[in-house]
Amino acid sequence: MKTIAIILASGIGKRFDKSIIKQYQYINGKSVIFLSAIAFKSNPNIEKIIIVINKKHNAIAKKCLSEIDNIDYVYGGSTRQKSVFNALKFINKYKPKYVLIHDSVRPNIKNILINKIINKLKNHDAIIPVISINDALKKTNNSKVIEHMDRTKFSLAQTPQGFNYQQLYKKHKNNLTSDINDDSTLFQNIHYIKGDINNIKITTKNDLIFLEHKMKKEKIYIQISGIGIDIHKFDTLNEAKFLVMGGIKIKHNKSLLGHSDADVVIHALVDSILGTISEGDIGNIFSDKDPKWKNANSEIFLKHAMSLLKKHKCKLLHSDINIICEEPKISPYRDKMKKNIAKLLFVSDKCVSIKATTAENLGFIGRKEGIMAQCITTISKPYNE
Ligand code: ZN
């Protein structure tokens, strides 16, 4: 594996609530630990998530994270360092190149920061995000200011911190008895990047209230793809003037046979949309035994699929269509078809791709007996809705 994220959640912390510790508090209906974990889960550069939990919190942790799959749990040790080391030892079997270590009580972590850290790890062994200090900085002791510091010489460190896995593992192993609370202190050369002022660490109830407002409007979206395929054969008995594909008329001396208008492109597209929301297939919604759909305009099927997509609160992002046939030639109609499909999907032309190929004279397509269309549609879906 290339990159693994370790999320530390085994601390008891200072309780600002009588019973629930910070990582198990809720922000807009989601637990803090869930929000931290889902940020890494939704990043395609992270191959595995390890959550370090306190043995006593086994049940609550797994309940909070039950909606996220592919998580490994590791029990924390008596100190932060032991907890990190337990996780580092555990992931040795995955042979990761990089490891990111994050505090679970920073739930407002964004993918842009995670990606910046991973990118920098290509050239450095230790990367930390930092933010500058805006207030005047004083050294204090016993209710007295003892020194006025130059704040421009200082920064505040955040997590996730990124490391070369082998280096970090070795350094932890050689320093098992020292209780460090910041992994980067084990390194001589640490590079920093600009952190995110909203990636705050929950320390007080006020932080929780601040994040509740900050994260309210931000829904978590995931992308899902669905696949569709359809085949129709040519009507070889009757001379025709055109066939219908992608909702437009294409000049051809053979039309396609089917119960409806036999629009092979729209049918593949409808199935790919239904696939994204696991709503079955075009055949079980619009049965070819039902006389209602005899010679039906396939745009009706597409409209229905789009209304189901809306019901699931999903947004169509892109449809990539392949048409496989020896004839008719698709290229003269490609732009018109693309525009029509984009209109039916309520997206811009850029979100529709139409490609065409032949079967090199092989098989039923090669013998010009019919046309095949394939489609992959990608949608965006609110997580857990
Ligand atoms: Zn069909």
Side-chain angles (χ1 to χ4, degrees):
M1 282 192 188
K2 207 162 175 199
T3 309
I4 292 182
I6 296 173
I7 301 175
L8 299 173
S10 62
I12 305 286
K14 221 168 73 185
R15 294 182 190 198
F16 48 55
D17 186 288
K18 281 192 186 80
S19 54
I20 309 167
I21 44 181
K22 289 179 276 190
Q23 55 270 40
Y24 300 115
Q25 294 278 345
Y26 276 74
I27 294 176
N28 302 324
K30 295 283 177 200
S31 63
V32 168
I33 192 170
F34 171 87
L35 293 166
S36 291
I38 196 71
F40 287 91
K41 179 72 190 174
S42 63
N43 189 311
N45 294 314
I46 305 288
E47 279 138 297
K48 185 97 204 155
I49 300 171
I50 311 293
I51 310 268
V52 183
I53 57 168
N54 192 305
K55 212 172 185 171
K56 290 180 199 150
H57 306 150
N58 201 12
I60 185 172
K62 287 178 183 168
K63 188 179 157 225
C64 287
L65 296 162
S66 62
E67 296 160 18
I68 308 178
D69 58 358
N70 199 22
I71 286 181
D72 282 350
Y73 293 90
V74 170
Y75 290 131
S78 54
T79 62
R80 183 190 183 280
Q81 190 185 1
K82 281 178 186 154
S83 297
V84 175
F85 187 68
N86 285 353
L88 292 175
K89 215 163 56 180
F90 177 82
I91 62 172
N92 207 5
K93 60 183 178 188
Y94 295 126
K95 308 219 173 312
K97 195 166 180 192
Y98 308 130
V99 61
L100 300 190
I101 299 183
H102 187 60
D103 283 335
S104 62
V105 287
R106 289 185 191 267
N108 197 27
I109 171 69
K110 297 281 179 268
N111 268 326
I112 188 161
L113 184 59
I114 296 172
N115 289 340
K116 270 190 207 165
I117 293 166
I118 295 172
N119 265 334
K120 286 276 175 189
L121 280 171
K122 286 170 195 155
N123 301 314
H124 306 286
D125 287 339
I127 301 289
I128 65 166
V130 301
I131 51 169
S132 52
I133 299 169
N134 297 322
D135 298 324
L137 190 64
K138 311 290 178 189
K139 192 171 180 181
T140 56
N141 190 27
N142 253 343
S143 313
K144 287 229 161 63
V145 171
I146 53 171
E147 202 179 336
H148 302 284
M149 313 296 287
D150 180 357
R151 66 180 164 87
T152 60
K153 288 186 176 155
F154 294 87
S155 296
L156 301 171
Q158 301 185 318
T159 70
Q161 300 188 341
F163 304 97
N164 170 294
Y165 169 71
Q166 285 301 337
Q167 293 278 337
L168 184 68
Y169 181 69
K170 223 185 291 167
K171 286 179 195 294
H172 263 278
K173 211 175 166 187
N174 294 338
N175 288 277
L176 279 180
T177 47
S178 56
D179 182 23
I180 50 144
N181 59 11
D182 179 333
D183 307 283
S184 67
T185 57
L186 292 168
F187 284 76
Q188 295 289 323
N189 285 317
I190 308 146
H191 283 259
Y192 68 85
I193 58 163
K194 196 169 175 263
D196 172 4
I197 53 162
N198 293 315
N199 177 25
I200 65 163
K201 184 174 177 176
I202 299 171
T203 320
T204 65
K205 267 234 148 111
N206 269 344
D207 299 330
L208 212 58
I209 294 163
F210 172 81
L211 282 177
E212 230 153 31
H213 286 286
K214 195 85 210 154
M215 298 176 85
K216 196 161 219 159
K217 288 195 186 80
E218 297 169 14
K219 270 195 176 162
I220 303 160
Y221 288 91
I222 52 168
Q223 266 101 58
I224 297 174
S225 293
I227 189 166
I229 186 162
D230 196 36
I231 298 165
H232 281 269
K233 63 177 176 186
F234 286 120
D235 178 355
T236 47
L237 298 175
N238 303 297
E239 177 91 4
K241 288 197 172 77
F242 63 87
L243 57 80
V244 177
M245 249 200 291
I248 63 163
K249 285 180 178 175
I250 292 176
K251 265 193 196 160
H252 198 53
N253 60 358
K254 281 178 271 179
S255 64
L256 289 169
L257 283 172
H259 183 65
S260 63
D261 61 3
D263 190 328
V264 67
V265 168
I266 299 277
H267 294 180
L269 176 61
V270 168
D271 260 2
S272 70
I273 295 169
L274 295 175
T276 63
I277 45 177
S278 305
E279 283 277 3
D281 61 52
I282 193 167
N284 59 38
I285 300 177
F286 307 102
S287 167
D288 59 7
K289 309 274 180 298
D290 191 338
K292 202 161 111 189
W293 310 120
K294 179 107 184 94
N295 301 321
N297 181 336
S298 294
E299 287 180 11
I300 300 168
F301 310 153
L302 188 55
K303 274 184 187 143
H304 181 74
M306 290 305 284
S307 73
L308 285 175
L309 207 57
K310 203 173 162 190
K311 208 176 99 189
H312 284 262
K313 297 179 184 165
C314 298
K315 186 177 182 291
L316 192 142
L317 300 177
H318 193 266
S319 285
D320 184 17
I321 298 161
N322 271 340
I323 302 166
I324 307 138
C325 61
E326 303 293 328
E327 58 180 33
K329 269 226 160 319
I330 305 300
S331 54
Y333 298 94
R334 191 198 304 261
D335 284 348
K336 196 178 173 192
M337 198 188 293
K338 188 170 157 151
K339 276 199 169 69
N340 187 52
I341 289 172
K343 193 182 83 192
L344 294 168
L345 297 177
F346 306 104
V347 294
S348 80
D349 296 5
K350 276 185 280 184
C351 304
V352 176
S353 152
I354 292 173
K355 313 198 296 294
T357 187
T358 68
E360 298 280 334
N361 302 318
L362 293 169
F364 70 91
I365 294 170
R367 292 190 297 270
K368 301 177 186 174
E369 290 168 12
I371 298 182
M372 182 195 285
Q374 302 168 320
C375 181
I376 288 186
T377 291
T378 305
I379 57 134
S380 153
K381 179 185 175 183
Y383 197 82
N384 198 31
E385 253 192 54

